[in-house]
Amino acid sequence: MADLDLTSRHLGLGLLAHPLGVNLSACGLPGGRTCDEDDGPFLDGLRRAVELGANLLDAADYYGAGRAERLLGRLLREYPDRALLTSSKVGKIRGSAPHAYADRHIHHQLQQTLENLYVEALDLYTLASWDFGPQDRYLGPAIEQMRALREVGAIRAIGMRGPYVPTNAAPAERAACAERFLYLFRLIRPNVIWTRCNALTPAITLEGEDLLTFTARHGVGVILAAPGDVGLRSVLSQASIEVVSGGMESLRARFGDTPGTLTRLALLSSLQRVDHCVTVVGYSNKDQVEESFRSLAGPALTAVELRLLEDAYAQIRAVQPRERLSAVTGM
């Protein structure tokens, strides 16, 4: 049985990324430790990820109100000779501007991001929100700003938020999400799609295809932000225990129930499907980073195991939780 291919993957425009990167969204989460208070565990996790081969480091200006970017800047100064890819996002911090995408606000936010990171250019800059004001008033200016920044070399690639709906979304809600995404996709023409990855949520159909097939056809890279073991357990804890037990029993029989199994299955099920996507995992300490990278060791899933995994997920997806689960993997 062959091991998972861990060579770098091409996301477009010369962006070559290790299949597994890290996402700094946990830095500064409400109720949690912030980087300014104690950035040691987060920084140690970043260092360990780089040592294990990660080169895609994913942040946003709204992760801890800039704390994640400043932490990443410290890491970049420690590894000046490493070919690390910097990724950040814009579109959720308005400041004193009338809107997060108004006028030259994207340009202003990028300047602060570059200062936080101590770099002259950003590898990937993602439009993190689909809210472009009333009647999409700021959509045109946002597109113009992003393309201008790419043309002058301030950013290498333009990213766009991908489609996502909560577990109990109605068919009409999924259809509306797909329609909105396709409308923005055609106008923005992004180089990379950044999207939450939760195997338990219903798939969004785009022109008769799933997201990975759709982006492959359009030559667009994909970054999947995975919930990991904790995120999956959060979903399972809110679903019907009878149905979940039935769906999980088949997985336990095949894969066992040792710690980290859910993480491994979630990562492999995404990474093995196509070679134009990578996954970034959240973390709050070095141990969590090591667990995620350990999950990639060993043989890849077989076609039979991938079908078994999808069948189990489909059984669990059929459960309609009482509460929306959009916060489970919110990044």
Side-chain angles (χ1 to χ4, degrees), residues 33 83 117 121 143 150 171 175-176 184 231 251 254 270 274 310 312 324:
R33 179 189 295 115
L117 297 177
I143 294 173
R150 187 177 58 187
L184 295 175
L251 299 184
R254 180 79 181 198
S270 300
V274 293
E310 180 53 37
R324 290 189 175 274

Side-chain angles (χ1 to χ4, degrees), residues 149-261:
L149 292 171
R150 187 177 58 187
E151 288 174 5
V152 300
I155 63 176
R156 291 177 61 187
I158 295 173
M160 172 186 163
R161 190 74 176 247
Y164 183 87
V165 293
T167 300
N168 61 340
E173 187 175 354
R174 295 201 296 272
C177 179
E179 181 179 2
R180 176 64 172 169
F181 171 79
L182 288 170
Y183 172 75
L184 295 175
F185 179 87
R186 293 171 184 136
L187 292 175
I188 297 170
R189 300 200 302 272
N191 307 113
V192 177
I193 296 298
W194 187 104
T195 190
R196 304 177 196 174
C197 172
N198 183 350
L200 303 182
T201 57
I204 298 291
T205 301
L206 305 168
E207 298 178 344
E209 301 170 317
D210 62 26
L211 178 66
L212 296 181
T213 305
F214 174 85
T215 49
R217 178 163 60 87
H218 287 274
V220 173
V222 179
I223 295 176
L224 302 172
D229 208 3
V230 175
L232 288 174
R233 285 180 181 144
S234 298
V235 175
L236 299 180
S237 66
Q238 298 179 60
S240 165
I241 191 64
E242 293 82 6
V243 176
V244 169
S245 296
M248 295 302 293
E249 188 57 38
S250 59
L251 299 184
R252 293 192 185 98
R254 180 79 181 198
F255 304 105
D257 56 1
T258 58
T261 297

Side-chain angles (χ1 to χ4, degrees), residues 105-168:
H105 190 63
I106 292 177
H107 175 82
H108 295 155
Q109 287 298 112
L110 176 63
Q111 292 306 307
Q112 184 61 61
T113 289
L114 296 179
E115 182 177 331
N116 289 341
L117 297 177
Y118 290 87
V119 296
E120 296 182 357
L122 195 63
D123 292 300
L124 175 64
Y125 206 31
T126 296
L127 295 170
S129 170
W130 290 0
D131 175 11
F132 292 92
Q135 291 76 53
D136 285 335
R137 174 181 177 183
Y138 300 108
L139 176 56
I143 294 173
E144 292 176 1
Q145 287 188 74
M146 295 293 279
R147 290 179 181 168
L149 292 171
R150 187 177 58 187
E151 288 174 5
V152 300
I155 63 176
R156 291 177 61 187
I158 295 173
M160 172 186 163
R161 190 74 176 247
Y164 183 87
V165 293
T167 300
N168 61 340

Side-chain angles (χ1 to χ4, degrees), residues 9 212-213 215-216 222 224 269-277:
R9 299 180 172 205
L212 296 181
T213 305
T215 49
V222 179
L224 302 172
S269 64
S270 300
L271 292 174
Q272 285 188 220
R273 286 197 54 194
V274 293
D275 59 6
H276 69 288
C277 80

